Amino acid sequence: MDKFIEIIKLTLPSVAQGLIVTLELFAVTLVLSIPLGYLIALMQRSKARIPLLRWFLRWFAGGYTWLLRGTPLLLQIFFIYFGLPYIKIGTFQFPALNNMLACIIAFTLNYAAYFGEIFRAGIESIDKGQYECAKALGYTGSQTMRKIIIPQMVRLVLPPVSNETITLVKDTALVSVVALNDIMRETQLKVSALSNVSPFIVAAVFYLVLTLVLTIIFNRLEKKLCNY
Amino acid sequence: MIKAENIYKSFGKLSVLNGISIEVRPGEVIAIIGRSGSGKSTFLRCLNHLETVDKGTISIDGETFVSNGKYLGDNDIRRICMKTGMVFQSFNLFPHMTILKNVTEPQETVNKIPHEEAVKTARELLKKVGLSEKENAYPSQLSGGQKQRVAIARALAMKPEVMLFDEPTSALDPELTGGVLSTMKDLAKEHLTMIVVTHEMGFAREVADRVIFLSDGKICEQGKPAELFENPQTEELKTFLSSLLK
């Protein structure tokens, strides 16, 4: 038992360092992928007047979702980190990205595809009568979305968004493969250095606390928004 | 006030409106009756551009937004159609807003009315439809009849020149229709121009200045309610009226 406590003491500072990296990736991904996902949802439901533009937007959003949901996130991380620098389009050469930036891009693009589907389902589940009524009252398209549709949609999509967010916390562990020192990689390093598996328990506790905090936040949000 | 000429509309191969023309004078109350599928709701929805017509011309208050099937730009259509207010069969209140907010929100967002003034108008109208004490409730806490009266107040708050009612009592339990119909009667007494698609023959007979009977997307017969109901000229109207008595 004394040895266990000793090891925990040795592990905590470096895993706490890893926590900062994990949180950074988590927060940036969330902040970027939610608006991007919303954009994808809007594109997929495009009502553009010009048929060719409408067709293109829908096709693009559909293809995007298919590609990003249809391949493993791990592969996407590898591709952006290792693969991109080999690609040359005309005179344009993709730069080699540092591992944090590559991970942020991969996570954002990937999660935007999932959020896009959630938002699309949310928008489509609002009764057609709400749109008609807003139109009859003289709302413009964007006023309708802002004042009528999105507030109702938020309530509907909150549970699946909360689900995705919790999944995101755990998915961040993938970045250890490109040597980003998140919770997972710091833990693995300690495990090898100390030849002891106890640090894994520390990592588990860190992830559990993170997801618990998120669960509480989303529960509160749901209560607050579901007041009608 | 509203003038529609030669309106044609089809959904795919099904032609729903086959050349309807009406002219509604200011202050007139029109009841549109007919079987389900006769095109009465579709016609009403064309008048405020919830449906697009295939052919025909529609003007509201002297301004034409579709001429021979050709529409103006979106902004002009919206500006002209805002002269109408609409009440739907399924109420369509905004569920995430309180009753008061349902009536103030469109005024503030669409008509850019300052908040205090919007609230004042809303309270007056809620009082008029007898729902002052419900202003802080949410739509889910109201009965169907109450919801429909709020929907009427919300439409009136936008100060429309014409009110369009699309079967306003069809989704209500019979005992709840009374409140809605009496609110509509009050509006008729104030000489608000109204076009009402309805199955309530009692209301049509008592309140309407003119009744229009649609059949197969055409005006089959029209006239003062007394004449139309006592002395129907066409076979279609005769069958329709006798089917109601069964």
Side-chain angles (χ1 to χ4, degrees), chain A residues 5-31:
Chain A
I5 292 172
E6 188 59 29
I7 292 207
I8 302 294
K9 274 186 186 161
L10 280 169
T11 312
L12 268 179
S14 47
V15 178
Q17 281 292 313
L19 172 68
I20 295 172
V21 173
T22 296
L23 283 180
E24 206 175 292
L25 176 66
F26 167 78
V28 176
T29 301
L30 206 58
V31 168

Side-chain angles (χ1 to χ4, degrees), chain A residues 49 127-141 143 146-149 151-152 227-228, chain B residues 45 48-50 74 78 82 84 86 88 92-97 105-106 109-110 112 138 140 154 158:
Chain A
R49 278 278 177 82
D127 183 40
K128 198 168 126 260
Q130 296 283 308
Y131 291 93
E132 287 189 344
C133 180
K135 188 176 173 189
L137 285 164
Y139 282 76
T140 62
Q143 287 169 341
R146 225 172 47 239
K147 302 281 186 177
I148 314 295
I149 305 303
Q152 295 183 59
N227 54 355
Y228 59 90
Chain B
R45 290 161 57 85
N48 67 347
H49 192 236
L50 285 183
D74 279 348
R78 188 171 50 250
M82 270 173 62
T84 66
M86 190 170 214
F88 296 84
N92 293 335
L93 292 183
F94 302 135
H96 57 301
M97 298 178 191
E105 216 304 311
T109 300
V110 179
K112 311 285 179 223
Y138 282 90
S140 60
R154 178 177 63 180
M158 306 301 282

Side-chain angles (χ1 to χ4, degrees), chain B residues 178-189:
Chain B
V180 173
L181 292 175
S182 75
T183 301
M184 290 167 65
K185 276 179 210 164
D186 291 344
L187 296 176
K189 275 184 208 140

